[in-house]
Amino acid sequence: MKKQVLIFIGLMAFLSGCKSEQHVSIPPKGYSSNAMLKMAYAAGTLKIVETEFPIPETIKEYKDVTYKTLDSIALKLDIYHTKSLKGKAPLIVFIHGGSWKKGNKDDYLIYLTSYAEKGYITATIQYRLAGVAKFPAQLLDVQDAVVWLKQNADTFHIDPGKVALVGGSAGGHLAMMNAFTNSSKTASDKDPFTPKVQALVNFYGPCDLIDVAEKDKPTVEYFIGKSEQEAPELYKAASPLYFITKMAPPTITFHGTLDELVPYEQSDRLHEKLEELGVPSYYHKLEGWPHTLDASVKVNAYAQYHMDRFFEKHIPKN
């Protein structure tokens, strides 16, 4: 009888785990409009992830490590991994958003600690904002950060052959720019380290700065430093969509249909171009969710569920 009870308890636990996993694998129900979403947030029914919390005791943090100095400006990054980590592990680099003019490398702390606990090395980088320097300064900073992390791989347990970029909004744009413009680069004896990455996660990033909404043009002009009429070639040079080749890394994209900052049609085009060239592309278009959709507890759990499987496939741990 005791044995039967134990078997029953084990079966129930297994089924409960399956149900829980199935729950987070399904897109969470969205909202009919941004107005309804704001009402849900005001009423407390829309739960938002924590952005500030103590670093878990199990995690080793390397805070404010300088990777580059320009004209007395020290650009820094943070690195995380478990204290018990042995050997090398894949690296996931996070790039914050903020319309290229604001934001902080601490913005993705929930991902940094979560994926460090899952056995990855995680890093988050600072880059020059548009008020300090115009494009392509931001892309150069991202590239230099990736190269620096590879150069210091032994110090931080990094497997330099398994690197993923993750970015949201402006950070998604910069992640795509680095991934697509450097996809054909190979290491050589002269330059053994390149900014090339093996996987890309794009959260609602704009892929075509030529085709943006009228209300967004001032933001893009501030980032570029010129209007499209003044420098059309520069707008194309800052648009990830035009650099995609069949050598591009596998890409997973998350975008909400209520996004009022970056139209989801941009991600539609991105997915179509990647598929057309035979690049593995996983597109999650979430109905009834806005820009920064992964700030929602439910969407964040959904995104991490699918990111877990994406990383397991394309930058697997040993």
Side-chain angles (χ1 to χ4, degrees):
M1 183 69 177
K2 185 177 179 181
K3 183 177 180 181
Q4 290 175 321
V5 170
L6 289 174
I7 292 172
F8 175 74
I9 292 172
L11 178 61
M12 291 304 293
F14 172 76
L15 292 174
S16 176
C18 291
K19 183 178 179 181
S20 176
E21 185 173 279
Q22 184 182 29
H23 176 69
V24 296
S25 69
I26 299 170
K29 182 176 174 58
Y31 297 84
S32 58
S33 67
N34 275 291
M36 292 300 293
L37 184 144
K38 291 174 183 176
M39 288 175 63
Y41 176 70
T45 57
L46 173 58
K47 303 299 182 183
I48 303 300
V49 297
E50 294 290 335
T51 56
E52 296 182 14
F53 49 85
I55 303 300
E57 285 292 325
T58 56
I59 300 297
K60 170 71 174 176
E61 177 188 40
Y62 304 85
K63 187 72 174 175
D64 291 330
V65 181
T66 298
Y67 73 88
K68 176 179 177 180
T69 302
L70 286 154
D71 301 325
S72 76
I73 300 174
L75 295 177
K76 300 177 180 181
L77 52 77
D78 305 333
I79 302 170
Y80 301 84
H81 63 70
T82 58
K83 292 177 180 177
S84 61
L85 180 66
K86 305 295 182 185
K88 294 190 174 183
L91 169 67
I92 306 174
V93 183
F94 292 83
I95 309 172
H96 71 80
S99 301
W100 306 285
K101 60 185 178 183
K102 58 183 180 180
N104 189 290
K105 61 182 171 63
D106 297 331
D107 291 348
Y108 281 144
L109 189 58
I110 186 169
Y111 287 120
L112 294 162
T113 55
S114 177
Y115 278 96
E117 289 180 320
K118 291 172 183 176
Y120 296 91
I121 314 296
T122 61
T124 179
I125 67 174
Q126 179 185 26
Y127 55 87
R128 284 170 288 172
L129 301 176
V132 175
K134 304 304 180 186
F135 178 82
Q138 296 73 23
L139 173 58
L140 297 175
D141 293 344
V142 171
Q143 291 179 155
D144 288 342
V146 172
V147 169
W148 187 93
L149 286 161
K150 289 183 178 183
Q151 290 172 336
N152 292 275
D154 290 343
T155 302
F156 301 106
H157 300 278
I158 295 168
D159 181 342
K162 294 179 180 179
V163 181
L165 288 183
V166 182
S169 195
H173 164 265
L174 295 175
M176 286 189 284
M177 282 298 298
N178 182 87
F180 298 153
T181 60
N182 293 294
S183 57
S184 62
K185 290 189 175 181
T186 55
S188 66
D189 292 337
K190 186 176 180 181
D191 180 18
F193 303 103
T194 76
K196 183 177 180 178
V197 298
Q198 286 67 51
L200 168 66
V201 181
N202 166 42
F203 280 97
Y204 41 81
C207 66
D208 187 354
L209 300 193
I210 298 171
D211 182 25
V212 294
E214 198 64 35
K215 64 181 175 60
D216 296 326
K217 287 188 182 294
T219 298
V220 177
E221 285 186 12
Y222 186 68
F223 170 56
I224 300 293
K226 295 181 179 180
S227 68
E228 186 186 346
Q229 290 70 31
E230 293 173 309
E233 72 291 343
L234 196 52
Y235 275 65
K236 187 172 184 179
S239 297
L241 187 69
Y242 302 103
F243 293 94
I244 301 173
T245 69
K246 62 182 181 180
M247 300 291 287
T251 301
I252 185 170
T253 297
F254 299 90
H255 211 138
T257 60
L258 293 183
D259 195 326
E260 295 180 320
L261 290 179
V262 179
Y264 68 83
E265 287 84 359
Q266 290 237 346
S267 290
D268 288 349
R269 294 173 61 199
L270 172 69
H271 178 59
E272 289 170 8
K273 182 70 175 288
L274 289 166
E275 284 205 316
E276 177 187 318
L277 292 171
V279 178
S281 178
Y282 312 84
Y283 184 22
H284 297 266
K285 181 161 62 175
L286 279 75
E287 294 291 334
W289 289 98
H291 200 67
T292 65
L293 74 176
D294 55 322
S296 155
V297 168
K298 289 182 178 179
V299 176
N300 196 280
Y302 171 83
Q304 287 206 42
Y305 173 88
H306 291 283
M307 288 165 66
D308 289 351
R309 281 137 192 82
F310 177 74
F311 292 142
E312 286 165 6
K313 184 173 183 178
H314 297 292
I315 53 165
K317 290 172 285 186
N318 293 335

